[in-house]
Amino acid sequence: MMKIGQAGKRLLPMTAAFGLLLAGCGREDLSVLRPQGPVAESSYALMKLSIAIMIVVLLVVFSIATYVWIRFRRKKDQNEIPKQVEGSFKLEVLWTVIPLILVVVLAIPTVKVVFAAGNDHSDDKDAIKVKVTGHQYWWEFEYKDYGVTTAQDLIIPTGKHIAFELSTTDVLHSFWVPSLAGKMDTNPDGTVNRFSFSAPNEGVYRGKCAELCGPSHGFMEFKVKSVSGEAFEKWIASMKAPESVMPDDPALAEKFKSQCLSCHAIGSMPASPVAPSLTGIGSREAVAGILLNDDTREDGAPILENLKTWLHDPQSVKPGNKMPNPKDMGLSDEEIDGIAEFLAGYTLE
Ligand code: HEC
Ligand SMILES: [Cu+2]
């Protein structure tokens, strides 16, 4: 038989590994355990309530069990069979009624939260309406009331309800910002799903596709950037009246127009259904949603470097994505670097 000490030695590394694994789950803002808005807070409160109830039940049951194990142990020289008891009306009522009460205590707030989550704010005049479209492997955000379409970064004003309308152009995706709300699917059958959340504080919240949608599903990230009402209006204004920018070098501008703008839209061009808008890409949090434009972070890099990484080989960043390699479009390495520099400098006022 294994001695207790040995068992402990064997369990220790496993416990440590498990702890590390769980710590990994809480990394950054991709965690439901650090809610940053009212919708996520209400689900977190339910989690805390159910865990509290579970812990109380566990403590009571194990205390009674331990008491019984010790108190009614077979004693030395005790050979007769103890008195046999079958059925106890009192006990049976007790252990039926207590769980019933616990289930009711859990059910009331759960039903309340579920109904509150059903309020999608689609008829709310004050809400910001955003049409979210999932694409393999990027997110498109259309602000219908403003005539603005963007990609990857969802800019929202703090405190306002955001009324989402979700759909997809290809397969099933799921729109998920763990610190702000639960998941919502984008259905391929053409139906539209609606829901709403809000972010009271300024900040950048990480979002992810939560439904396996192809080889680059794991890279289908986006950011929710919550800014002041003023900054939001400014952003909308600069997206609505963008300068027509083009690379300075006329030959490069021609290449960019013919090779890139066949799929992508910039400035006042109508939104493209096949590729993310590149308007103001220099101001975004990430390139292609996944290459973080932040060289102060270990997992980030300067935007120019990220753009070069993407443009020199998009398939190495997101396998299976729908952008062809610019080299196959006849662009030289210098031309690709030139376009990367132009895009890095294409910021919003
Ligand atoms: C056939 C259509 C197509 C062409 C042509 C094309 N792209 Fe793309 N591009 C895409 C798609 C689709 C994506 C989104 C990939 C993803 O994230 O899954 C993309 C993504 C990008 C991104 C990242 C966008 C973001 O929101 O962060 C950049 C930058 C980009 N393309 C630049 C270019 C440049 C420069 C050219 C010309 C050399 C070009 N593209 C040509 C389809 C195209
Ligand atoms: Cu997806």
Side-chain angles (χ1 to χ4, degrees):
M1 228 180 80
M2 209 186 337
K3 291 206 188 79
I4 300 278
Q6 269 176 340
K9 260 187 218 155
R10 288 200 186 170
L11 280 174
L12 196 69
M14 202 176 87
T15 319
F18 195 59
L20 280 176
L21 197 76
L22 286 179
C25 294
R27 202 180 129 244
E28 289 189 308
D29 42 6
L30 205 58
S31 170
V32 289
L33 303 178
R34 269 190 297 274
Q36 300 295 323
V39 177
E41 264 154 25
S42 60
S43 357
Y44 184 52
L46 283 182
M47 270 189 262
K48 281 195 292 193
L49 177 66
S50 52
I51 288 174
I53 291 176
M54 279 188 275
I55 288 175
V56 170
V57 169
L58 213 75
L59 285 179
V60 170
V61 169
F62 274 83
S63 311
I64 296 174
T66 313
Y67 172 76
V68 170
W69 288 330
I70 294 167
R71 175 76 179 70
F72 298 105
R73 273 181 82 144
R74 182 178 165 201
K75 303 197 178 66
K76 246 188 203 164
D77 308 326
Q78 185 185 22
N79 291 315
E80 74 280 14
I81 293 170
K83 196 180 134 215
Q84 300 296 296
V85 182
E86 262 177 55
S88 160
F89 183 70
K90 262 196 219 158
L91 277 178
E92 280 165 22
V93 168
L94 195 70
W95 64 53
T96 307
V97 169
I98 293 178
L100 216 65
I101 293 173
L102 293 182
V103 170
V104 171
V105 166
L106 197 57
I108 292 170
T110 304
V111 170
K112 261 183 154 167
V113 166
V114 168
F115 274 87
N119 184 1
D120 58 26
H121 288 273
S122 52
D123 296 328
D124 183 346
K125 279 198 189 59
D126 270 351
I128 306 287
K129 316 261 185 321
V130 179
K131 183 172 181 285
V132 175
T133 309
H135 300 260
Q136 279 171 320
Y137 302 96
W138 56 282
W139 295 93
E140 180 183 351
F141 305 114
E142 182 185 350
Y143 298 71
K144 287 187 149 177
D145 296 341
Y146 299 94
V148 164
T149 298
T150 187
Q152 321 293 12
D153 286 6
L154 170 68
I155 314 288
I156 61 170
T158 53
K160 285 257 192 178
H161 292 293
I162 316 299
F164 293 103
E165 195 187 298
L166 298 107
S167 54
T168 173
T169 52
D170 36 55
V171 300
L172 180 68
H173 302 278
S174 186
F175 180 79
W176 190 30
V177 191
S179 57
L180 293 178
K183 303 166 186 174
M184 188 57 85
D185 283 358
T186 64
N187 295 339
D189 66 357
T191 52
V192 167
N193 281 340
R194 293 172 201 281
F195 86 131
S196 170
F197 64 60
S198 61
N201 304 313
E202 287 184 26
V204 179
Y205 307 106
R206 207 165 142 208
K208 233 177 156 69
C209 176
E211 194 72 65
L212 184 62
C213 58
S216 278
H217 157 70
F219 305 124
M220 195 168 158
E221 285 209 10
F222 61 99
K223 304 283 177 292
V224 176
K225 202 170 166 183
S226 164
V227 299
S228 69
E230 218 173 288
F232 177 73
E233 294 299 333
K234 219 178 126 193
W235 178 76
I236 287 284
S238 61
M239 287 293 287
K240 276 191 85 145
E243 276 183 75
S244 310
V245 287
M246 273 291 166
D248 290 334
D249 174 3
L252 195 61
E254 193 45 51
K255 274 262 162 83
F256 179 66
K257 207 171 140 201
S258 62
Q259 301 298 326
C260 312
L261 299 187
S262 51
C263 282
H264 292 278
I266 56 162
S268 53
M269 290 171 64
S272 160
V274 300
S277 158
L278 297 181
T279 304
I281 184 162
S283 303
R284 296 226 185 117
E285 296 290 320
V287 170
I290 190 78
L291 302 171
L292 272 188
N293 299 331
D294 183 352
D295 53 356
T296 64
R297 288 172 50 145
E298 213 182 307
D299 52 352
I303 180 167
L304 179 60
E305 198 179 313
N306 287 337
L307 280 164
K308 285 183 180 172
T309 304
W310 175 258
L311 293 175
H312 281 282
D313 192 1
Q315 295 299 322
S316 72
V317 179
K318 279 179 163 177
N321 86 77
K322 308 246 164 73
M323 169 150 163
N325 192 322
K327 273 173 218 145
D328 299 335
M329 301 177 210
L331 272 75
S332 67
D333 284 343
E334 294 72 47
E335 285 169 327
I336 293 173
D337 288 347
I339 290 177
E341 260 156 47
F342 156 69
L343 288 175
Y346 184 6
T347 54
L348 293 172
E349 282 311 302

